[in-house]
Amino acid sequence: MVKAVVLGAAGGIGQPLSLLLKTNPSITELSLYDIVNTPGVAADLSHIDTPAKVAGYLPPDDGLKKALTGADIVIIPAGVPRKPGMTRDDLFKINAGIVRDLAKGIAEAAPKAFVLVISNPVNSTVPIVAEVFKKAGVFDPKKIFGVTTLDVVRASTFVSEVLGDLSLAPKVTVPVVGGHSGVTIVPLLSQSSHPLPSGFSQENLDKLVNRIQFGGDEVVKAKDGAGSATLSMAYAGADFAYKIICAAKGEKGIVAPTYVNLAADKEGGDALKKEIGRDLEYFSAPVELGTEGVAKINTLGKITAHEANLIKAAVPELATNIEKGVSFIESSKL
């Protein structure tokens, strides 16, 4: 029996994410929460002939608590999507309070659930969730994840395009480390399961890295004010949720890049800190998933001088993002 909860289920990511979760046969109960429209979304999804029983909740009458009670996995796509001209700071100011309030609800009603944070900016919202849990006395670093899977999905797709064969996309694996915005996104293309063509120029490599880092901007621009990367993010979120569910059920050998608190595996986290040259509290790295969540944090392995420079550029930005999330909760009245 697996109960999955989507917080922000009526939004641009929330609806397609909920649809994909409804089609997952491992999920037996799907609980949807948002400030509007969730009963309608739930009614619509409930007609799909898959096992999950669906219910939708709104804020009145303890809706958040009812949605979360008994949850095994909670996915948070809630918040405002990025629009053209909107900075990460703008996004933070809007979404930080939303994520804080939802985290309070999870800490009270489902403190042992796996929590998957999609709400941007992930580099700051994951620390927000963690700090709320710490204040509530229920923090478990092994169970809180920033979903960076979209960066991995993009890397796989874009590398297969470079190789001229999109049929390879599902098989291409590229570790993407660091964080989940701009320069903090570091694709380790030298470790791609399908190497780039011989003679691939530095100029083309720089363009590919930039496209992976700023793929979200590409979508925001193409949607021309009508939204951000909602469908691809929903796909990535559902994919990562499925990996968490499989690992929780005992499947071995599942490794996926995800943004985690490095205390989740002290040995692996300390080794990673040595590699990146800074005592960061959070970092996205290839994580082996287990029944309790984070089983092992893997190090970066062999990287090129170019990738080392990308890490060097990512670290100060990450430190600032993390501090912003922590400071927000320190100054909040919980």
Side-chain angles (χ1 to χ4, degrees), residues 198-220:
S198 58
F200 196 67
S201 71
Q202 185 63 46
E203 182 186 357
N204 284 331
L205 180 62
D206 289 340
K207 283 180 181 174
L208 179 57
V209 168
N210 185 267
R211 192 179 179 208
I212 294 166
Q213 290 180 327
F214 296 96
D217 294 353
E218 191 177 306
V219 177
V220 168

Side-chain angles (χ1 to χ4, degrees), residues 170-253:
K171 302 169 197 159
V172 173
T173 304
V174 179
V176 183
V177 301
H180 186 55
S181 66
V183 297
T184 70
I185 298 169
V186 180
L188 302 181
L189 291 160
S190 66
Q191 296 179 21
S192 173
S193 60
H194 294 64
L196 295 168
S198 58
F200 196 67
S201 71
Q202 185 63 46
E203 182 186 357
N204 284 331
L205 180 62
D206 289 340
K207 283 180 181 174
L208 179 57
V209 168
N210 185 267
R211 192 179 179 208
I212 294 166
Q213 290 180 327
F214 296 96
D217 294 353
E218 191 177 306
V219 177
V220 168
K221 185 180 176 184
K223 288 194 174 182
D224 196 20
S228 58
T230 53
L231 300 174
S232 51
M233 185 64 249
Y235 169 83
D239 181 70
F240 186 67
Y242 184 56
K243 287 181 168 71
I244 292 283
I245 291 167
C246 289
K249 285 176 175 280
E251 191 174 320
K252 303 287 187 187

Side-chain angles (χ1 to χ4, degrees), residues 155-172 194 197:
S156 299
T157 302
F158 299 164
V159 166
S160 70
E161 286 178 0
V162 167
L163 296 173
D165 185 359
L166 265 175
S167 71
L168 291 174
K171 302 169 197 159
V172 173
H194 294 64

Side-chain angles (χ1 to χ4, degrees), residues 237-270:
D239 181 70
F240 186 67
Y242 184 56
K243 287 181 168 71
I244 292 283
I245 291 167
C246 289
K249 285 176 175 280
E251 191 174 320
K252 303 287 187 187
I254 299 174
V255 177
T258 175
Y259 184 70
V260 294
N261 187 299
L262 297 184
D265 167 23
K266 189 175 186 311
E267 186 180 343
D270 287 350

Side-chain angles (χ1 to χ4, degrees), residues 32-47:
L32 312 181
Y33 176 84
D34 211 323
I35 56 173
V36 291
N37 299 337
T38 30
V41 176
D44 195 356
L45 290 176
S46 70
H47 294 182

